[in-house]
Amino acid sequence: NAGVMQNPRHLVRRRGQEARLRCSPMKGHSHVYWYRQLPEEGLKFMVYLQKENIIDESGMPKERFSAEFPKEGPSILRIQQVVRGDSAAYFCASSPTGLDEQFFGPGTRLTVL
Amino acid sequence: AQSVTQLGSHVSVSEGALVLLRCNYSSSVPPYLFWYVQYPNQGLQLLLKYTSAATLVKGINGFEAEFKKSETSFHLTKPSAHMSDAAEYFCAVGESGGGADGLTFGKGTHLIIQP
């Protein structure tokens, strides 16, 4: 059973561009979580999704950030008009039922020039 | 609201020595507590978790942690450090068994093993 997959592993964008981060949960997992890790910081929760639904987005910035988890395909974290402060590692985690441990992917490291 | 404090951003121990990584939490509800390990350029791997059963929790790679409610602590220990233990360690708190909400993480402790 493959683990949580994230791509790309590294993403470089210029200020003002859009960043799209993808997360494929483990097989059989329908719960996805996104976290952001700034340098020298712990992970900060951003959003919790189930298939086609956003359950908790209390950690998402109000502007420029959005997330989806469609019926088919990976979960997408989208950042519009990126700024330098968006540079961070973005981790995705998945869980089978929402009541079990979260399994983390390897992360996407976003660099905004 | 929940929060986690990890004392010491860097901890250095000699190979074979005791490892002690400190974690204190605050939570308005009975907490679920976790320790994760992160190796360079990798995702987080669960070491162990406390979910209101036994207060002494054993995890992988010889690590264990003890939940002390009176001290609001969940310190991670290993009797004898190995070079392969060098990594970043994160303590986290949640309001459920691990998946029903987002976890709140500490800032991490970088464990350095001296030969």
Side-chain angles (χ1 to χ4, degrees), chain A:
Chain A
N1 190 5
V4 177
M5 301 181 70
Q6 291 186 250
N7 67 81
R9 294 292 306 276
H10 300 273
L11 182 61
V12 179
R13 286 286 178 267
R14 296 189 181 280
R15 282 179 297 171
Q17 291 184 320
E18 178 179 285
R20 281 183 177 242
L21 288 63
R22 294 174 183 77
C23 169
S24 296
M26 291 179 68
K27 186 177 181 181
H29 290 195
S30 59
H31 299 249
V32 166
Y33 310 79
W34 285 94
Y35 294 83
R36 177 166 62 177
Q37 184 180 30
L38 296 170
E40 307 299 321
E41 297 281 332
L43 279 70
K44 302 290 187 186
F45 167 74
M46 299 180 75
V47 62
Y48 165 35
L49 310 102
Q50 292 182 37
K51 285 285 187 180
E52 301 183 277
N53 289 303
I54 296 175
I55 306 302
D56 180 356
E57 56 181 348
S58 59
M60 286 278 272
K62 295 289 185 270
E63 298 177 347
R64 301 188 298 107
F65 284 72
S66 62
E68 63 177 9
F69 188 18
K71 186 177 180 181
E72 301 291 336
S75 175
I76 305 289
L77 180 66
R78 181 184 179 201
I79 310 172
Q80 296 178 288
Q81 300 175 330
V82 295
V83 300
R84 288 212 175 117
D86 296 332
S87 295
Y90 292 83
F91 288 93
C92 167
S94 73
S95 176
T97 66
L99 298 174
D100 304 283
E101 73 174 86
Q102 297 177 24
F103 294 82
F104 282 79
T108 293
R109 280 153 182 82
L110 173 65
T111 301
V112 179
L113 302 177

Side-chain angles (χ1 to χ4, degrees), chain B residues 3 6 21-22 26 45 54 56 63 75-76 78 84 89 99 106:
Chain B
S3 68
Q6 290 185 240
L21 303 182
R22 299 178 186 276
S26 68
Q45 180 182 7
L56 182 62
F63 285 93
H75 302 329
L76 182 71
K78 182 175 180 177
S84 61
Y89 290 80

Side-chain angles (χ1 to χ4, degrees), chain B:
Chain B
Q2 298 173 315
S3 68
V4 174
T5 302
Q6 290 185 240
L7 294 176
S9 59
H10 292 77
V11 170
S12 180
V13 302
S14 298
E15 189 175 17
L18 172 71
V19 175
L20 171 60
L21 303 182
R22 299 178 186 276
C23 172
N24 289 88
Y25 70 91
S26 68
S27 177
S28 57
V29 299
Y32 292 87
L33 295 158
F34 308 83
W35 276 100
Y36 284 87
V37 60
Q38 183 182 29
Y39 297 100
N41 297 316
Q42 294 188 27
L44 277 69
Q45 180 182 7
L46 182 69
L47 277 177
L48 49 81
K49 64 180 180 180
Y50 166 75
T51 57
S52 76
T55 56
L56 182 62
V57 182
K58 294 187 182 298
I60 61 172
N61 301 339
F63 285 93
E64 63 181 37
E66 185 173 8
F67 171 68
K68 292 187 176 180
K69 184 178 179 180
S70 61
E71 299 178 6
T72 60
S73 68
F74 191 56
H75 302 329
L76 182 71
T77 60
K78 182 175 180 177
S80 177
H82 191 272
M83 295 299 291
S84 61
D85 295 327
E88 192 83 17
Y89 290 80
F90 292 97
C91 181
V93 63
E95 293 186 0
S96 69
D101 60 355
L103 299 175
T104 300
F105 283 84
K107 292 189 175 182
T109 298
H110 186 64
L111 178 61
I112 301 163
I113 310 297
Q114 307 275 9

